[in-house]
Amino acid sequence: MAPSLEEPETVQEVLDNPLKARPQLVAPEPEHCPGPESEQAGKADSCAGCPNQAICASAPKGPDPDIPLISERLSGVKHKILVLSGKGGVGKSTFTSLLAHAFATNEDMTIGIMDTDICGPSIPKMMGVESESIHISNTGWSPVWVADNLGVMSIQFMLPNRDDAVIWRGPKKNGLIKQFLKEVEWGNMDFLLVDTPPGTSDEHLSVNSFLKESGIDGAVMLTTPQEVALLDVRKEIDFCKKAGIRVLGLVENMSGFVCPNCTHESQIFKATTGGGAALAKEMDIPFLGEVPLDPRIGMACDYGESFFDHYPDSPACKALKNVVKGVAREIGLDAQHILPEG
């Protein structure tokens, strides 16, 4: 018989209490047990003499008292959008940086990026602010400003050396994400884009839990055309459905290679099962478009420059602008107002 996946907690229990580890009991719960996470745990009459009494009494209980503080801190942020995939290597951070630059082409809007990829923070490099540090005042942490209307927050700004590895367990990652939301002075912003690592684990649960009260507009899902990527994206979409996160749409990244000289397009990663468009139809979510490969995007990210400033008429730039318009429409905004020149 095949081994089964042991699930000490149900999916709903994890989603309801994403930041709390279930108490490790040393004995079975007795009859009339109030529950190890209830307010009466370890205090009720039925707890007397139970081997778990001290464990239950010391377990964290009740809602997180910092959630209202986070909601207050983010009260000036109009829209919060997660960039998710489930698969590593599909270009989430690159796409997030491009999406931010696209929104920021409208000088009347203010954009923020929160980099929650704690172990692999690449946003500062891509935005050209890798060597900057965080300024702390009596009002909180200030984002590092790439431009007058584009700010970034990342753990990279806190590392003593740029190549230092971040070797943290889940609770410490959760704590830093909470600080990014509670301590950073985001101020009045039109969009806060949250770049996430691959998977459906600690960072994703934390972001969803911390932002649920202040409101998440939804998630933009990213994939590449091949089925190996689509497999994990399906899991990420399933995570969103279970966590109550609206999927604003799916973007197929690296969708063909466009020659910078002749603009001829070749399919580097061929879609064997229909690619992003077929997956969006299968999962009944909007398809926001295809963004082609362009080697100049990689160069722009390496040099920390805006691809939109240097190649505004490129096929990739036009595709990204269409994605921005699609995101705007999905959250009920006038796409022409968001990108008036597009």
Side-chain angles (χ1 to χ4, degrees):
M1 186 173 69
S4 61
L5 182 64
E6 187 177 334
E7 290 191 35
E9 297 177 85
T10 67
V11 172
Q12 196 56 50
E13 284 177 324
V14 173
L15 292 173
D16 290 342
N17 300 284
L19 309 180
K20 297 178 186 176
R22 187 177 177 85
Q24 298 298 308
L25 306 182
V26 296
E29 297 173 26
E31 189 178 4
H32 307 304
C33 173
E37 294 171 341
S38 75
E39 292 292 338
Q40 292 300 309
K43 303 174 185 176
D45 292 341
S46 58
C47 298
C50 176
N52 301 317
Q53 185 173 14
I55 298 172
C56 294
S58 60
K61 302 172 183 67
D64 189 331
D66 287 328
I67 297 297
L69 300 177
I70 291 172
S71 297
E72 183 179 351
R73 178 67 88 173
L74 297 177
S75 60
V77 179
K78 295 178 182 177
H79 304 286
K80 306 169 199 73
I81 298 173
L82 312 183
V83 179
L84 304 174
S85 173
K87 187 68 175 175
V90 299
K92 285 186 299 301
S93 296
T94 301
F95 177 79
T96 302
S97 68
L98 291 169
L99 197 61
H101 277 302
F103 276 120
T105 57
N106 185 337
E107 296 180 357
D108 294 330
M109 298 196 308
T110 303
I111 316 300
I113 303 178
M114 188 174 80
D115 185 1
T116 65
D117 194 343
I118 306 300
C119 296
S122 50
I123 288 290
K125 174 71 173 177
M126 294 177 175
M127 304 304 286
V129 289
E130 188 181 20
S131 61
E132 299 293 330
S133 57
I134 300 170
H135 175 70
I136 301 176
S137 68
N138 58 355
T139 58
W141 302 1
S142 296
V144 172
W145 292 96
V146 179
D148 290 341
N149 65 336
L150 178 53
V152 174
M153 180 53 63
S154 172
I155 191 176
Q156 184 68 40
F157 303 135
M158 305 167 71
L159 299 180
N161 302 296
R162 56 173 283 182
D163 296 327
D164 285 353
V166 179
I167 308 172
W168 287 3
R169 297 186 189 275
K172 201 165 183 180
K173 292 180 182 179
N174 298 339
L176 182 64
I177 292 172
K178 179 186 281 190
Q179 282 187 291
F180 282 172
L181 293 168
K182 189 180 74 167
E183 305 291 347
V184 175
E185 189 182 9
W186 293 106
N188 294 320
M189 281 191 169
D190 293 276
F191 292 92
L192 177 62
L193 307 178
V194 182
D195 182 36
T196 65
T200 56
S201 193
D202 291 306
E203 295 90 337
H204 309 79
L205 290 167
S206 297
V207 169
N208 184 46
S209 176
F210 293 143
L211 290 179
K212 184 165 281 187
E213 185 176 299
S214 61
I216 301 173
D217 287 82
V220 174
M221 205 67 60
L222 201 66
T223 188
T224 48
Q226 64 272 44
E227 179 62 23
V228 170
L230 301 176
L231 282 171
D232 289 340
V233 175
R234 287 187 181 91
K235 295 179 176 68
E236 194 78 30
I237 294 171
D238 182 58
F239 164 79
C240 287
K241 289 180 179 178
K242 290 174 178 174
I245 301 171
R246 180 188 172 200
V247 178
L248 299 174
L250 178 70
V251 178
E252 184 178 278
N253 198 26
M254 308 184 201
S255 182
F257 164 71
V258 176
C259 175
N261 297 318
C262 67
T263 68
H264 175 73
E265 185 172 338
S266 303
Q267 297 302 316
I268 304 298
F269 304 115
K270 291 188 177 180
T272 56
T273 58
L279 177 61
K281 184 177 181 180
E282 172 194 335
M283 305 297 286
D284 193 26
I285 59 176
F287 184 59
L288 297 175
E290 302 168 343
V291 179
L293 277 165
D294 188 325
R296 297 171 299 186
I297 292 178
M299 291 182 65
C301 289
D302 278 353
Y303 289 113
E305 298 174 348
S306 170
F307 179 73
F308 280 83
D309 288 346
H310 292 283
Y311 308 105
D313 297 322
S314 65
C317 192
K318 292 176 181 177
L320 283 159
K321 286 182 178 179
N322 286 331
V323 170
V324 169
K325 291 177 182 178
V327 170
R329 284 191 291 266
E330 287 299 320
I331 59 178
L333 300 177
D334 182 355
Q336 198 62 33
H337 173 72
I338 299 300
L339 286 180
E341 296 180 3

